[in-house]
């Protein structure tokens, strides 16, 4: 839960281009927008527009309308966590598409990842992201609407509704550029098999929803000493893959042209890192605002699944909804014209 409180700062760590603020216990601060003020962490007020929350839940198909009101558009399974994760992927798809529409930089980065090349910005501006399972796509780009698409959650189309192509592809033989969105409490376990078997022909955008601290962990020793270890999604995947010969053999077999024949341990790990960097992406390395927005939506989705909020609360912007948002440290505000999203403002 996000709150607007101050914590004593122990240190700020910068490693491999990433920064983390550690509190007095040496624990990374979750809120990436926290700032320092007189050696203390001060979390800014965060303003949210309820109509945009409503838009995400409707566009993702999680809430449907009938004559007598709004209803959840999914069945709550025996495992509430499984229900939440299955629906959160739809929310993540909708949020990423929204962020691409709001932010030229986010659209450019996502477009480059999907196409597999550093495109000219003028080219990227000609394409917009659409979700293959989103209601907006069903209405405005019906030929690309396919909730059962097993490869692409997101496509990029131009004004003529023609999809962008992956690098070295052609309309006749090549693949459409796209993104597969993955959300999970245990992201490495969730995507490991997909990576090894090369399940997708497009890159994966991962949202590790339980790893809110980012890439920094503190390893404590019994003797009182401490070491700082910087780990990212690639390090974790490599550790799992190289420890399992079946994984390495299968990956090499399916990517012989990439890995080649000279595969000493050091060279393989280096090549593996390069391979993963073109196929797996942590959303926080691309657009941290998208990640934080999904985390807010996750909180609300949990309330819906557990019956503490109803679809009508989101549709009507009820006092119950507003009270809950404020309990998360979120303040109700109108949309930000310059950056129309769940935006931040410093107190």
């Amino acid at each position: 839960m996000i709150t607007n409180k101050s914590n004593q700062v122990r240190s700020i760590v910068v490693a491999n281009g990433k920064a983390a603020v550690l509190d007095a216990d040496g624990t990374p601060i979750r809120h990436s927008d926290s700032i320092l003020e007189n050696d203390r962490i001060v979390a800014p007020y965060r303003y949210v527009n309820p109509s945009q929350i409503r838009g995400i839940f409707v566009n993702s198909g999680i809430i449907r309308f009938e004559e007598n009101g709004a209803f959840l558009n999914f069945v709550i399974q025996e495992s509430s966590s499984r229900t939440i994760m299955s629906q959160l992927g739809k929310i993540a798809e909708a949020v990423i598409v929204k962020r691409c529409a709001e932010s030229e930089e986010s659209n450019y980065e996502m477009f480059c990842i999907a196409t597999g090349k550093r495109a000219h910005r003028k080219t990227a501006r000609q394409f917009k992201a659409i979700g293959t399972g989103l209601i907006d796509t069903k209405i405005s780009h019906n030929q690309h609407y396919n909730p059962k698409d097993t490869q692409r959650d997101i496509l990029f189309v131009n004004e003529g509704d023609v999809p962008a192509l992956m690098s070295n592809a052609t309309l006749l033989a090549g693949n459409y550029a796209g993104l597969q969105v993955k959300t999970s409490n245990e992201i490495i376990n969730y995507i490991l098999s997909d990576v090894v078997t090369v399940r997708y022909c497009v890159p994966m955008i991962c949202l590790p929803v339980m790893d809110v601290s980012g890439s920094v962990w503190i390893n404590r020793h019994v003797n009182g000493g401490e070491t700082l270890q910087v780990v990212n999604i690639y390090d974790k995947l490599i550790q799992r893959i190289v420890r399992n010969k079946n994984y390495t053999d299968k990956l090499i077999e399916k990517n012989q042209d990439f890995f080649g024949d000279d595969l000493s341990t050091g060279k393989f790990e280096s090549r593996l890192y390069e391979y993963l960097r073109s196929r797996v992406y942590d959303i926080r390395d691309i657009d941290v605002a998208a990640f934080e927005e999904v985390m807010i939506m996750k909180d609300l989705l949990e309330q819906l699944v557990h019956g503490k909020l109803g679809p009508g609360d989101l549709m009507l912007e009820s006092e119950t909804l507003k009270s809950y948002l404020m309990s998360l440290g979120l303040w109700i505000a109108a949309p930000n014209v310059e950056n129309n999203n769940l935006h931040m403002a410093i107190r």
Side-chain angles (χ1 to χ4, degrees):
M1 185 175 294
I2 303 170
T3 58
N4 287 311
K5 66 179 182 179
S6 297
N7 299 300
Q8 284 293 137
V9 174
R10 177 175 187 174
S11 59
I12 299 176
V13 177
V14 179
N16 292 350
K18 293 181 175 293
V21 180
L22 309 183
D23 66 15
D25 295 324
T27 303
I29 301 294
R30 167 182 171 176
H31 187 9
S32 65
D33 293 291
S34 295
I35 58 173
L36 286 176
E37 184 178 288
N38 298 324
D39 295 329
R40 298 176 70 86
I41 293 293
V42 179
Y45 281 137
R46 294 150 54 86
Y47 294 99
V48 62
N49 175 23
S51 67
Q52 292 178 355
I53 293 176
R54 181 172 64 244
I56 291 294
F57 277 91
V58 172
N59 193 26
S60 61
I62 288 177
I63 291 178
R64 74 179 191 277
F65 292 103
E66 294 182 4
E67 290 184 1
N68 56 339
F71 300 88
L72 294 180
N73 198 32
F74 59 89
V75 176
I76 298 177
Q77 305 172 46
E78 184 175 347
S79 169
S80 60
S81 61
R82 183 174 299 175
T83 301
I84 291 166
M85 281 300 110
S86 67
Q87 300 304 313
L88 191 62
K90 301 175 185 178
I91 288 176
E93 178 183 338
V95 168
I96 291 173
V97 168
K98 182 174 81 72
R99 286 292 299 155
C100 287
E102 295 166 349
S103 166
E104 180 177 327
E105 187 62 28
S106 184
N107 188 72
Y108 175 73
E109 291 298 329
M110 293 289 186
F111 179 80
C112 290
I113 291 170
T115 56
K117 60 185 177 183
R118 300 307 294 181
H120 293 293
R121 289 185 178 271
K122 182 178 180 181
T123 301
R125 291 190 195 104
Q126 296 173 9
F127 290 86
K128 71 174 184 177
I130 62 172
T132 57
L134 300 183
I135 303 302
D136 282 352
T137 302
K138 184 178 183 180
I139 295 171
S140 303
H141 307 274
N142 187 256
Q143 65 174 315
H144 301 304
Y145 177 70
N146 183 7
K148 296 182 180 179
D149 190 329
T150 59
Q151 286 293 313
R152 298 167 185 82
D153 292 317
I154 294 173
L155 289 171
F156 288 83
V157 299
N158 62 18
E159 289 185 357
D161 222 21
V162 178
L165 298 176
M166 299 180 72
S167 179
N168 300 321
T170 67
L171 281 172
L172 293 177
N175 289 320
Y176 293 149
L179 302 169
Q180 174 70 209
V181 179
K182 293 290 188 181
T183 60
S184 177
N185 288 328
E186 298 180 356
I187 197 68
I188 301 300
N189 290 336
Y190 187 53
I191 69 172
L192 183 59
S193 177
D194 296 337
V195 170
V196 171
T197 60
V198 195
R199 179 179 179 184
Y200 303 111
C201 62
V202 299
M204 288 183 277
I205 303 296
C206 299
L207 292 89
V209 295
M210 289 300 289
D211 180 18
V212 295
S213 62
S215 298
V216 180
W217 286 262
I218 296 294
N219 290 338
R220 293 183 174 85
H221 298 296
V222 177
N223 61 11
E226 292 181 348
T227 61
L228 178 68
Q229 182 181 6
V230 179
V231 186
N232 57 40
I233 196 169
Y234 308 110
D235 296 323
K236 291 184 175 182
L237 281 170
I238 289 172
Q239 289 170 7
R240 293 288 295 276
I241 291 171
V242 298
R243 288 203 302 257
N244 189 313
K245 190 175 186 300
N246 289 333
Y247 289 163
T248 58
D249 289 347
K250 188 172 292 187
L251 198 57
I252 292 170
E253 177 186 348
K254 290 180 174 292
N255 299 276
Q256 187 63 44
D257 291 342
F258 182 87
F259 288 105
D261 298 320
D262 181 14
L263 291 174
S264 59
T265 301
K267 185 169 184 178
F268 173 70
E269 291 190 17
S270 176
R271 293 291 285 164
L272 180 56
Y273 186 83
E274 183 181 345
Y275 174 84
L276 293 174
R277 289 282 296 182
S278 66
R279 288 160 176 80
V280 181
Y281 294 84
D282 187 326
I283 187 69
R284 295 167 299 182
D285 295 331
I286 309 165
D287 187 348
V288 71
F291 176 75
E292 295 197 347
E293 187 166 338
V294 171
M295 293 299 291
I296 292 170
M297 299 296 178
K298 177 176 177 286
D299 287 334
L300 292 170
L301 179 60
E302 288 172 347
Q303 298 302 303
L304 288 170
V305 169
H306 294 141
K308 297 179 180 179
L309 285 176
D313 291 314
L314 269 66
M315 298 302 102
L316 301 175
E317 300 180 18
S318 70
E319 291 303 315
T320 302
L321 172 64
K322 293 177 182 178
S323 296
Y324 181 71
L325 291 173
M326 291 189 70
S327 76
L328 297 178
L330 299 169
W331 294 69
I332 309 301
N336 183 318
V337 175
E338 183 176 333
N339 187 24
N340 189 27
N341 70 329
L342 302 179
H343 58 283
M344 313 300 177
I346 303 299
R347 174 169 54 176

